[in-house]
Amino acid sequence: ENDAGTVTQVKPQKKLKRPRLYRVLLHNDDYTTREFVVLVLRHIFHLDEQSAIRVMLHVHNNDVGVAGVFTREVAETKIEKVEAMAREQEFPLRLTMEPEEEEA
Ligand code: TYC
């Protein structure tokens, strides 16, 4: 309390936690072209050409793979963008997201 009788209420310091991160998973299908998947990995997920090809082939051979790791909103936006691009070309490409394990 100061001389004017004013009390300054101090908010309890909220701990600044790192936001939870989400893996964006790319799923294989028989119809989406390899070129389209590589284009998406380069343009939306910002992988260089070699990494994009590596991830595309991994998904092709293993059915699922990680396109990238992002905060929830960024992950959601990328999935929406890619699905809109795929639908435009009538590709059934599917992406999902899953939270990373919480660190200790
Ligand atoms: N399996 C597709 C093909 O042979 C290529 C592909 C790879 C499709 C990755 C989707 O997420 C995917 N044309």
Side-chain angles (χ1 to χ4, degrees):
E1 195 167 343
N2 63 20
D3 294 347
T6 310
V7 177
T8 304
Q9 179 74 42
V10 178
K11 266 196 190 168
Q13 183 69 50
K14 204 182 164 202
K15 204 149 184 214
L16 294 169
K17 288 199 235 152
R18 281 184 290 284
R20 178 175 272 242
L21 295 177
Y22 292 78
R23 286 188 282 268
V24 172
L25 303 178
L26 194 56
H27 299 266
N28 191 33
D29 67 72
D30 292 338
Y31 303 102
T32 307
T33 62
R34 294 172 177 224
E35 291 71 21
F36 181 81
V37 176
V38 169
L39 179 141
V40 155
L41 288 167
R42 294 181 62 199
H43 288 76
I44 306 298
F45 293 96
H46 307 298
L47 301 189
D48 62 37
E49 171 122 49
Q50 280 194 15
S51 307
I53 291 170
R54 183 170 42 73
V55 171
M56 181 279 292
L57 287 175
H58 175 91
V59 174
H60 179 72
N61 292 319
N62 299 279
D63 260 10
V64 66
V66 179
V69 177
F70 309 96
T71 56
R72 182 165 52 77
E73 287 208 332
V74 172
E76 283 169 354
T77 304
K78 286 187 191 292
I79 290 174
E80 280 167 20
K81 269 191 202 166
V82 173
E83 287 185 339
M85 287 168 69
R87 298 308 162 258
E88 232 166 80
Q89 317 229 18
E90 305 193 309
F91 289 141
L93 185 63
R94 206 166 63 82
L95 298 92
T96 56
M97 57 195 270
E98 64 177 22
E100 292 214 298
E101 306 44 56
E102 207 95 53
E103 52 188 301

